[in-house]
Amino acid sequence: MIVADKKPIEEIIEVIKDHDKILVLGCNECVTVCEAGGKKEVEILASALRMYFLNNGKEMVIDEHTLERQCDHEYLEEVRDRIDQYDAVLSLACGVGVQFMAEKYHSTPIYPGVNTCFLGATEQRGLWTERCQACGECMLATTGGICPVSRCAKRILNGPCGGSSNGKCELGKEVDCAWHLIVERLKALGRLDDYEKVCSIKDWSTDRAGGPRKVIREDVQV
Amino acid sequence: MRLEYPTNIRIVLVPCTGKVDIIHILRSFEKGADGVYVVGCMEGSCQFISGNIRARKRVEQAQEILDKIGVGGGRVQMYNLSAGEGTHFAKFAVEMEEKIRGLGPNPVKNSKKNLAA
Ligand code: SF4
């Protein structure tokens, strides 16, 4: 899923302070799971903001709503009939939701209420870690299911580098060396032969290096 | 036991303090409460394993938010006691009442009044 983190409330206050009527809009998907932008976080943030502005002598209208998703037309349409009532929307969706909403509702400022961080997993409640950088050409089949693109600091495709020591990356003891993990996993799978195969130069044009990407699936388009 | 404790405290019963969420605490202040305290079982003796630990964490988060928005995190407090400690219950109520009196009324309530005037 897309992992996001809360934005400091001070930063949000600074961004919305000149408005009078705001809609705090949550998303029921990834940001709900990572407890940054779901219904609960919308309620907490809206309540805190209302109290902050009241305390500062301003009765700001701060309403709350949460959509099933903010990255799909049909859900974003649900707010069409009420969006004009607001000076701005504070979206707690990931950056995709914020942008998609801004594209749809041209005349309303849409502000991000979270920091979108990475594609990751919930290791445990309160701990999310990166697993994928959406490079567009998945190589997990040959690396024992461990991604050197997202988990190796240098994105080395034939690792490890000389900085690997006792299973840890030279970045620090708290960072596992991805290539150490890959070798261990290939060993466990009895597929160390895969490790001996030199990975050829990766086509990075499917990664961000090739500019903004698209997936076009004519087979499902109607 | 017939212990006395301040009468200006409204008790909200919950099945476990793990049920108390940050929003419940914040809404209390939005509605004008001057202070909120959560009384849970002793840590390590929660029937639902970690309800009171969750409650403590949420109280801490509420404190942080209230500090940032100028209401004051000191208005929220977590207490723990065991079921047989009625005297502690009364003591916490007195302690909290004194503390909140020291802090004065909830500023949100005052601001609302000023804006309405
Ligand atoms: S130590 Fe491992 S993870 Fe760190 S940069 Fe080198 S190969 Fe990558």
Side-chain angles (χ1 to χ4, degrees):
Chain A
M1 66 172 167
I2 294 172
V3 178
D5 199 1
K6 290 181 182 177
K7 260 194 189 300
I9 192 164
E10 303 90 319
E11 187 184 329
I12 292 174
I13 289 168
E14 193 52 37
V15 169
I16 64 166
K17 68 179 192 308
D18 296 327
H19 295 298
D20 297 315
K21 216 172 169 205
I22 293 277
L23 176 65
V24 182
L25 193 63
C27 177
N28 259 340
E29 298 283 350
C30 313
V31 289
T32 295
V33 182
C34 61
E35 304 188 43
K39 187 167 179 278
K40 267 191 180 184
E41 290 75 30
V42 166
E43 288 175 342
I44 292 167
L45 182 60
S47 173
L49 289 171
R50 279 191 296 268
M51 286 196 272
Y52 171 84
F53 286 109
L54 264 177
N55 261 347
N56 285 275
K58 180 171 181 174
E59 191 150 23
M60 201 197 273
V61 176
I62 299 176
D63 289 343
E64 308 162 13
H65 192 65
T66 298
L67 295 176
E68 197 53 39
R69 277 199 287 283
Q70 291 190 32
C71 53
D72 266 320
H73 286 297
E74 59 252 57
Y75 299 113
L76 280 182
E77 281 301 324
E78 285 175 22
V79 292
R80 182 167 296 282
D81 56 346
R82 55 192 290 209
I83 193 141
D84 289 337
Q85 301 166 20
Y86 298 100
D87 301 341
V89 172
L90 179 65
S91 166
L92 299 201
C94 69
V96 179
V98 175
Q99 291 182 67
F100 213 38
M101 177 128 208
E103 285 166 32
K104 202 178 251 308
Y105 300 116
H106 285 278
S107 53
T108 309
I110 318 288
Y111 300 122
V114 300
N115 289 323
T116 306
C117 302
F118 49 76
L119 301 181
T122 310
E123 282 206 33
Q124 60 185 60
R125 193 165 175 200
L127 175 65
W128 294 274
T129 50
E130 186 166 21
R131 286 291 184 282
C132 177
Q133 290 195 347
C135 72
E137 205 183 63
C138 190
M139 54 186 294
L140 286 170
T142 53
T143 56
I146 292 153
C147 170
V149 177
S150 60
R151 300 187 64 185
C152 168
K154 293 174 185 158
R155 287 180 147 196
I156 289 175
L157 302 185
N158 294 287
C161 73
S164 179
S165 102
N166 297 323
K168 298 296 170 188
C169 172
E170 63 183 334
L171 276 182
K173 283 196 175 60
E174 69 289 354
V175 186
D176 290 326
C177 166
W179 274 99
H180 181 88
L181 295 177
I182 291 169
V183 171
E184 290 300 310
R185 175 101 169 116
L186 288 176
K187 240 190 246 169
L189 294 172
R191 290 179 55 177
L192 265 181
D193 287 354
D194 278 359
Y195 180 59
E196 297 303 327
K197 290 179 202 148
V198 175
C199 175
S200 58
I201 295 170
K202 186 170 165 63
D203 175 7
W204 290 105
S205 68
T206 57
D207 186 73
R208 254 294 299 167
R213 295 164 285 174
K214 271 184 190 168
V215 172
I216 303 171
R217 288 272 312 274
E218 281 176 6
D219 55 333
V220 291
Q221 287 179 356
V222 278
Chain B
M1 230 182 252
R2 292 192 180 276
L3 296 165
E4 284 193 12
Y5 63 89
T7 52
N8 52 359
I9 287 166
R10 189 192 297 174
I11 295 180
V12 181
L13 297 175
V14 286
C16 166
T17 49
K19 177 72 189 160
V20 180
D21 224 321
I22 304 169
I23 190 62
H24 300 134
I25 300 172
L26 295 188
R27 285 229 179 94
S28 308
F29 286 101
E30 255 198 291
K31 289 183 174 173
D34 297 314
V36 173
Y37 67 106
V38 179
V39 187
C41 303
M42 299 304 285
E43 286 196 9
S45 65
C46 174
Q47 285 219 43
F48 303 101
I49 301 164
S50 54
N52 47 6
I53 295 165
R54 283 181 208 281
R56 168 165 56 80
K57 292 246 175 174
R58 289 167 186 161
V59 163
E60 284 165 6
Q61 288 178 68
Q63 285 170 334
E64 198 182 310
I65 294 169
L66 291 167
D67 268 336
K68 285 187 175 167
I69 61 173
V71 177
R75 295 177 180 278
V76 190
Q77 179 87 37
M78 175 87 201
Y79 287 106
N80 298 84
L81 46 66
S82 75
E85 293 176 321
T87 48
H88 279 62
F89 186 85
K91 194 182 103 193
F92 295 156
V94 172
E95 191 181 299
M96 194 67 189
E97 213 246 358
E98 276 170 11
K99 187 179 177 189
I100 298 301
R101 279 206 188 279
L103 290 171
N106 169 359
V108 177
K109 191 167 55 180
N110 279 349
S111 310
K112 256 191 198 164
K113 267 189 213 147
N114 292 342
L115 281 169

Short mmCIF file of all heavy atoms in Angstrom, two decimals, chain A residues 111-163:
data_model
loop_
_atom_site.label_atom_id
_atom_site.label_comp_id
_atom_site.label_asym_id
_atom_site.label_seq_id
_atom_site.Cartn_x
_atom_site.Cartn_y
_atom_site.Cartn_z
N TYR A 111 -5.32 21.21 -0.41
CA TYR A 111 -4.05 21.15 0.30
C TYR A 111 -3.78 19.74 0.83
O TYR A 111 -4.70 19.05 1.26
CB TYR A 111 -4.07 22.11 1.50
CG TYR A 111 -4.29 23.56 1.13
CD1 TYR A 111 -5.37 24.26 1.65
CD2 TYR A 111 -3.44 24.21 0.25
CE1 TYR A 111 -5.59 25.59 1.32
CE2 TYR A 111 -3.65 25.54 -0.08
CZ TYR A 111 -4.72 26.22 0.45
OH TYR A 111 -4.93 27.52 0.12
N PRO A 112 -2.50 19.34 0.84
CA PRO A 112 -2.19 18.01 1.38
C PRO A 112 -2.15 18.06 2.91
O PRO A 112 -1.54 18.95 3.49
CB PRO A 112 -0.80 17.71 0.81
CG PRO A 112 -0.18 19.06 0.63
CD PRO A 112 -1.30 20.02 0.31
N GLY A 113 -2.79 17.08 3.51
CA GLY A 113 -2.78 17.01 4.98
C GLY A 113 -1.87 15.94 5.52
O GLY A 113 -1.73 15.78 6.73
N VAL A 114 -1.26 15.16 4.61
CA VAL A 114 -0.30 14.13 5.05
C VAL A 114 0.94 14.22 4.17
O VAL A 114 0.92 14.85 3.12
CB VAL A 114 -0.89 12.69 4.95
CG1 VAL A 114 -2.12 12.52 5.81
CG2 VAL A 114 -1.19 12.29 3.51
N ASN A 115 2.01 13.57 4.61
CA ASN A 115 3.20 13.43 3.78
C ASN A 115 3.18 12.01 3.21
O ASN A 115 3.22 11.04 3.98
CB ASN A 115 4.47 13.64 4.61
CG ASN A 115 4.65 15.09 5.00
OD1 ASN A 115 4.33 16.00 4.23
ND2 ASN A 115 5.15 15.33 6.21
N THR A 116 3.12 11.91 1.90
CA THR A 116 3.13 10.58 1.28
C THR A 116 4.56 10.08 1.25
O THR A 116 5.46 10.80 0.80
CB THR A 116 2.54 10.67 -0.15
OG1 THR A 116 1.27 11.29 -0.05
CG2 THR A 116 2.41 9.30 -0.77
N CYS A 117 4.79 8.87 1.75
CA CYS A 117 6.17 8.43 1.97
C CYS A 117 6.68 7.38 0.99
O CYS A 117 7.69 7.58 0.34
CB CYS A 117 6.31 7.91 3.39
SG CYS A 117 5.87 9.13 4.63
N PHE A 118 5.99 6.24 0.90
CA PHE A 118 6.50 5.16 0.03
C PHE A 118 5.48 4.05 -0.12
O PHE A 118 4.40 4.09 0.49
CB PHE A 118 7.81 4.60 0.62
CG PHE A 118 7.73 4.25 2.09
CD1 PHE A 118 7.08 3.10 2.53
CD2 PHE A 118 8.34 5.07 3.05
CE1 PHE A 118 7.03 2.78 3.87
CE2 PHE A 118 8.28 4.75 4.41
CZ PHE A 118 7.63 3.60 4.82
N LEU A 119 5.86 3.05 -0.93
CA LEU A 119 5.04 1.84 -1.06
C LEU A 119 5.60 0.83 -0.07
O LEU A 119 6.77 0.46 -0.15
CB LEU A 119 5.15 1.25 -2.47
CG LEU A 119 4.74 2.13 -3.65
CD1 LEU A 119 4.90 1.36 -4.95
CD2 LEU A 119 3.31 2.59 -3.50
N GLY A 120 4.79 0.45 0.87
CA GLY A 120 5.36 -0.41 1.90
C GLY A 120 4.36 -1.32 2.56
O GLY A 120 3.20 -1.46 2.13
N ALA A 121 4.83 -1.96 3.61
CA ALA A 121 4.02 -2.95 4.33
C ALA A 121 3.91 -2.54 5.80
O ALA A 121 4.74 -1.78 6.31
CB ALA A 121 4.69 -4.31 4.24
N THR A 122 2.88 -3.07 6.45
CA THR A 122 2.73 -2.86 7.90
C THR A 122 3.48 -3.98 8.60
O THR A 122 2.99 -5.09 8.67
CB THR A 122 1.23 -2.93 8.30
OG1 THR A 122 0.48 -2.09 7.43
CG2 THR A 122 1.02 -2.52 9.75
N GLU A 123 4.67 -3.70 9.07
CA GLU A 123 5.43 -4.76 9.77
C GLU A 123 4.78 -5.08 11.09
O GLU A 123 4.71 -6.22 11.53
CB GLU A 123 6.88 -4.32 9.98
CG GLU A 123 7.68 -4.44 8.72
CD GLU A 123 9.16 -4.64 9.00
OE1 GLU A 123 9.51 -5.26 10.00
OE2 GLU A 123 9.95 -4.13 8.18
N GLN A 124 4.37 -4.04 11.76
CA GLN A 124 3.57 -4.17 12.98
C GLN A 124 2.84 -2.85 13.12
O GLN A 124 3.15 -1.89 12.43
CB GLN A 124 4.45 -4.45 14.20
CG GLN A 124 5.45 -3.34 14.45
CD GLN A 124 6.40 -3.67 15.59
OE1 GLN A 124 7.11 -4.64 15.54
NE2 GLN A 124 6.39 -2.83 16.61
N ARG A 125 1.87 -2.81 14.00
CA ARG A 125 1.13 -1.56 14.14
C ARG A 125 2.10 -0.44 14.52
O ARG A 125 2.86 -0.59 15.48
CB ARG A 125 0.04 -1.70 15.19
CG ARG A 125 -0.91 -0.55 15.11
CD ARG A 125 -2.18 -0.77 15.83
NE ARG A 125 -2.95 0.45 15.77
CZ ARG A 125 -3.92 0.75 16.59
NH1 ARG A 125 -4.28 -0.10 17.52
NH2 ARG A 125 -4.55 1.89 16.47
N GLY A 126 2.07 0.61 13.75
CA GLY A 126 2.98 1.73 14.05
C GLY A 126 4.35 1.60 13.41
O GLY A 126 5.22 2.42 13.66
N LEU A 127 4.55 0.56 12.61
CA LEU A 127 5.84 0.43 11.92
C LEU A 127 5.59 0.01 10.47
O LEU A 127 5.20 -1.13 10.19
CB LEU A 127 6.75 -0.60 12.61
CG LEU A 127 8.07 -0.89 11.88
CD1 LEU A 127 8.98 0.34 11.83
CD2 LEU A 127 8.82 -2.05 12.54
N TRP A 128 5.83 0.94 9.56
CA TRP A 128 5.66 0.67 8.14
C TRP A 128 7.01 0.80 7.47
O TRP A 128 7.78 1.71 7.78
CB TRP A 128 4.66 1.68 7.54
CG TRP A 128 3.30 1.48 8.09
CD1 TRP A 128 2.36 0.61 7.64
CD2 TRP A 128 2.71 2.14 9.24
NE1 TRP A 128 1.23 0.68 8.43
CE2 TRP A 128 1.43 1.60 9.41
CE3 TRP A 128 3.16 3.11 10.13
CZ2 TRP A 128 0.57 2.01 10.44
CZ3 TRP A 128 2.31 3.53 11.15
CH2 TRP A 128 1.03 2.98 11.29
N THR A 129 7.29 -0.15 6.56
CA THR A 129 8.62 -0.12 5.92
C THR A 129 8.49 -0.27 4.41
O THR A 129 7.59 -0.94 3.91
CB THR A 129 9.51 -1.25 6.49
OG1 THR A 129 8.76 -2.46 6.44
CG2 THR A 129 9.92 -0.97 7.92
N GLU A 130 9.45 0.33 3.74
CA GLU A 130 9.40 0.39 2.28
C GLU A 130 9.73 -0.96 1.65
O GLU A 130 10.61 -1.69 2.11
CB GLU A 130 10.40 1.45 1.79
CG GLU A 130 10.33 1.68 0.30
CD GLU A 130 11.06 2.93 -0.14
OE1 GLU A 130 11.93 3.40 0.61
OE2 GLU A 130 10.75 3.44 -1.23
N ARG A 131 9.01 -1.27 0.57
CA ARG A 131 9.24 -2.54 -0.11
C ARG A 131 9.36 -2.40 -1.63
O ARG A 131 9.83 -3.31 -2.29
CB ARG A 131 8.10 -3.53 0.18
CG ARG A 131 8.10 -4.12 1.58
CD ARG A 131 9.27 -5.08 1.77
NE ARG A 131 9.21 -5.71 3.09
CZ ARG A 131 9.57 -5.15 4.22
NH1 ARG A 131 10.07 -3.92 4.19
NH2 ARG A 131 9.47 -5.79 5.36
N CYS A 132 8.87 -1.32 -2.18
CA CYS A 132 8.79 -1.24 -3.64
C CYS A 132 8.91 0.21 -4.09
O CYS A 132 8.39 1.10 -3.43
CB CYS A 132 7.45 -1.83 -4.10
SG CYS A 132 7.19 -1.74 -5.87
N GLN A 133 9.64 0.41 -5.21
CA GLN A 133 9.72 1.77 -5.74
C GLN A 133 9.06 1.88 -7.10
O GLN A 133 9.31 2.83 -7.84
CB GLN A 133 11.17 2.24 -5.79
CG GLN A 133 11.72 2.48 -4.38
CD GLN A 133 13.00 3.27 -4.36
OE1 GLN A 133 13.66 3.44 -5.38
NE2 GLN A 133 13.37 3.74 -3.19
N ALA A 134 8.23 0.90 -7.42
CA ALA A 134 7.47 0.92 -8.67
C ALA A 134 8.37 1.21 -9.87
O ALA A 134 8.13 2.15 -10.62
CB ALA A 134 6.33 1.94 -8.57
N CYS A 135 9.41 0.38 -10.03
CA CYS A 135 10.37 0.63 -11.12
C CYS A 135 9.80 0.26 -12.48
O CYS A 135 10.39 0.58 -13.51
CB CYS A 135 11.69 -0.10 -10.86
SG CYS A 135 11.57 -1.89 -11.07
N GLY A 136 8.68 -0.44 -12.47
CA GLY A 136 8.00 -0.72 -13.74
C GLY A 136 8.48 -1.98 -14.43
O GLY A 136 7.96 -2.35 -15.49
N GLU A 137 9.49 -2.66 -13.87
CA GLU A 137 9.96 -3.91 -14.46
C GLU A 137 10.46 -4.80 -13.33
O GLU A 137 11.64 -4.76 -12.97
CB GLU A 137 11.07 -3.64 -15.47
CG GLU A 137 11.17 -4.73 -16.51
CD GLU A 137 12.33 -4.50 -17.47
OE1 GLU A 137 13.49 -4.50 -17.02
OE2 GLU A 137 12.06 -4.31 -18.65
N CYS A 138 9.54 -5.53 -12.77
CA CYS A 138 9.83 -6.24 -11.52
C CYS A 138 10.86 -7.35 -11.70
O CYS A 138 10.75 -8.18 -12.60
CB CYS A 138 8.54 -6.82 -10.93
SG CYS A 138 8.80 -7.45 -9.26
N MET A 139 11.86 -7.35 -10.83
CA MET A 139 12.92 -8.34 -10.92
C MET A 139 12.95 -9.27 -9.70
O MET A 139 13.93 -9.98 -9.47
CB MET A 139 14.27 -7.62 -11.08
CG MET A 139 14.56 -6.59 -10.01
SD MET A 139 16.06 -5.65 -10.34
CE MET A 139 17.30 -6.93 -10.19
N LEU A 140 11.87 -9.29 -8.93
CA LEU A 140 11.85 -10.08 -7.69
C LEU A 140 12.01 -11.59 -7.95
O LEU A 140 12.45 -12.32 -7.06
CB LEU A 140 10.55 -9.82 -6.91
CG LEU A 140 10.47 -8.46 -6.21
CD1 LEU A 140 9.06 -8.21 -5.69
CD2 LEU A 140 11.48 -8.38 -5.07
N ALA A 141 11.70 -12.04 -9.18
CA ALA A 141 11.79 -13.47 -9.48
C ALA A 141 13.22 -13.97 -9.34
O ALA A 141 13.45 -15.12 -8.95
CB ALA A 141 11.27 -13.74 -10.89
N THR A 142 14.19 -13.10 -9.64
CA THR A 142 15.58 -13.58 -9.59
C THR A 142 16.32 -13.15 -8.32
O THR A 142 17.47 -13.52 -8.13
CB THR A 142 16.37 -13.05 -10.81
OG1 THR A 142 16.20 -11.63 -10.85
CG2 THR A 142 15.88 -13.68 -12.10
N THR A 143 15.67 -12.36 -7.49
CA THR A 143 16.38 -11.88 -6.29
C THR A 143 15.76 -12.46 -5.00
O THR A 143 15.83 -11.85 -3.94
CB THR A 143 16.37 -10.33 -6.22
OG1 THR A 143 15.01 -9.89 -6.26
CG2 THR A 143 17.16 -9.71 -7.34
N GLY A 144 15.18 -13.61 -5.14
CA GLY A 144 14.65 -14.29 -3.96
C GLY A 144 13.48 -13.54 -3.32
O GLY A 144 13.19 -13.70 -2.14
N GLY A 145 12.82 -12.71 -4.10
CA GLY A 145 11.65 -12.00 -3.57
C GLY A 145 12.02 -10.80 -2.71
O GLY A 145 11.17 -10.25 -2.00
N ILE A 146 13.28 -10.39 -2.78
CA ILE A 146 13.70 -9.20 -2.01
C ILE A 146 14.18 -8.15 -3.02
O ILE A 146 14.97 -8.46 -3.91
CB ILE A 146 14.81 -9.57 -1.00
CG1 ILE A 146 14.20 -10.46 0.08
CG2 ILE A 146 15.44 -8.33 -0.38
CD1 ILE A 146 15.15 -11.39 0.73
N CYS A 147 13.69 -6.96 -2.88
CA CYS A 147 13.90 -5.94 -3.92
C CYS A 147 15.15 -5.09 -3.68
O CYS A 147 15.20 -4.29 -2.74
CB CYS A 147 12.67 -5.03 -3.98
SG CYS A 147 12.95 -3.59 -5.03
N PRO A 148 16.16 -5.24 -4.55
CA PRO A 148 17.35 -4.40 -4.37
C PRO A 148 17.11 -2.96 -4.80
O PRO A 148 17.86 -2.07 -4.40
CB PRO A 148 18.38 -5.08 -5.29
CG PRO A 148 17.58 -5.79 -6.31
CD PRO A 148 16.26 -6.16 -5.69
N VAL A 149 16.08 -2.72 -5.58
CA VAL A 149 15.81 -1.35 -6.03
C VAL A 149 15.31 -0.50 -4.86
O VAL A 149 15.77 0.62 -4.64
CB VAL A 149 14.79 -1.34 -7.20
CG1 VAL A 149 14.46 0.09 -7.62
CG2 VAL A 149 15.32 -2.15 -8.38
N SER A 150 14.41 -1.07 -4.09
CA SER A 150 13.84 -0.27 -2.99
C SER A 150 14.60 -0.48 -1.67
O SER A 150 14.57 0.38 -0.80
CB SER A 150 12.37 -0.64 -2.77
OG SER A 150 12.25 -2.01 -2.46
N ARG A 151 15.27 -1.61 -1.53
CA ARG A 151 15.84 -1.89 -0.21
C ARG A 151 17.35 -1.74 -0.13
O ARG A 151 17.91 -1.79 0.96
CB ARG A 151 15.39 -3.28 0.24
CG ARG A 151 13.85 -3.31 0.32
CD ARG A 151 13.34 -4.55 0.91
NE ARG A 151 13.72 -4.73 2.29
CZ ARG A 151 13.45 -5.82 2.99
NH1 ARG A 151 12.80 -6.81 2.43
NH2 ARG A 151 13.82 -5.92 4.25
N CYS A 152 18.00 -1.58 -1.27
CA CYS A 152 19.44 -1.29 -1.25
C CYS A 152 19.59 0.20 -1.50
O CYS A 152 19.03 0.74 -2.45
CB CYS A 152 20.16 -2.08 -2.35
SG CYS A 152 21.86 -1.53 -2.61
N ALA A 153 20.35 0.85 -0.61
CA ALA A 153 20.49 2.30 -0.71
C ALA A 153 21.06 2.71 -2.06
O ALA A 153 20.75 3.78 -2.59
CB ALA A 153 21.37 2.81 0.42
N LYS A 154 21.92 1.85 -2.61
CA LYS A 154 22.57 2.21 -3.89
C LYS A 154 21.86 1.60 -5.08
O LYS A 154 22.36 1.73 -6.21
CB LYS A 154 24.02 1.73 -3.85
CG LYS A 154 24.87 2.47 -2.83
CD LYS A 154 26.26 1.87 -2.71
CE LYS A 154 27.03 2.54 -1.59
NZ LYS A 154 28.14 1.70 -1.10
N ARG A 155 20.81 0.92 -4.85
CA ARG A 155 20.06 0.25 -5.91
C ARG A 155 20.97 -0.67 -6.72
O ARG A 155 20.85 -0.76 -7.95
CB ARG A 155 19.42 1.27 -6.86
CG ARG A 155 18.24 2.00 -6.27
CD ARG A 155 17.70 2.97 -7.30
NE ARG A 155 16.26 3.15 -7.21
CZ ARG A 155 15.52 3.69 -8.17
NH1 ARG A 155 16.06 4.11 -9.28
NH2 ARG A 155 14.22 3.82 -8.01
N ILE A 156 21.92 -1.30 -6.04
CA ILE A 156 22.86 -2.17 -6.75
C ILE A 156 22.13 -3.43 -7.22
O ILE A 156 21.37 -4.03 -6.46
CB ILE A 156 24.03 -2.55 -5.80
CG1 ILE A 156 24.91 -1.33 -5.58
CG2 ILE A 156 24.82 -3.72 -6.33
CD1 ILE A 156 26.00 -1.57 -4.57
N LEU A 157 22.39 -3.81 -8.48
CA LEU A 157 21.69 -4.99 -9.01
C LEU A 157 22.56 -6.25 -8.95
O LEU A 157 22.08 -7.35 -9.19
CB LEU A 157 21.22 -4.72 -10.44
CG LEU A 157 20.29 -3.50 -10.58
CD1 LEU A 157 19.79 -3.37 -12.00
CD2 LEU A 157 19.12 -3.59 -9.61
N ASN A 158 23.83 -6.07 -8.68
CA ASN A 158 24.72 -7.22 -8.47
C ASN A 158 25.51 -6.95 -7.19
O ASN A 158 26.67 -6.59 -7.22
CB ASN A 158 25.67 -7.39 -9.67
CG ASN A 158 24.93 -7.77 -10.93
OD1 ASN A 158 24.46 -8.90 -11.09
ND2 ASN A 158 24.79 -6.82 -11.85
N GLY A 159 24.85 -7.12 -6.09
CA GLY A 159 25.48 -6.75 -4.83
C GLY A 159 26.00 -7.95 -4.07
O GLY A 159 26.00 -9.05 -4.59
N PRO A 160 26.43 -7.78 -2.83
CA PRO A 160 26.45 -6.49 -2.12
C PRO A 160 27.67 -5.65 -2.47
O PRO A 160 28.59 -6.12 -3.11
CB PRO A 160 26.53 -6.93 -0.65
CG PRO A 160 27.29 -8.22 -0.70
CD PRO A 160 26.90 -8.89 -1.99
N CYS A 161 27.65 -4.44 -1.97
CA CYS A 161 28.81 -3.57 -2.14
C CYS A 161 29.76 -3.82 -0.98
O CYS A 161 29.46 -4.61 -0.08
CB CYS A 161 28.38 -2.10 -2.19
SG CYS A 161 27.88 -1.45 -0.57
N GLY A 162 30.88 -3.13 -0.99
CA GLY A 162 31.89 -3.35 0.06
C GLY A 162 31.45 -2.84 1.42
O GLY A 162 32.09 -3.10 2.43
N GLY A 163 30.35 -2.14 1.47
CA GLY A 163 29.90 -1.56 2.75
C GLY A 163 29.08 -2.52 3.59
O GLY A 163 28.75 -2.23 4.74
#
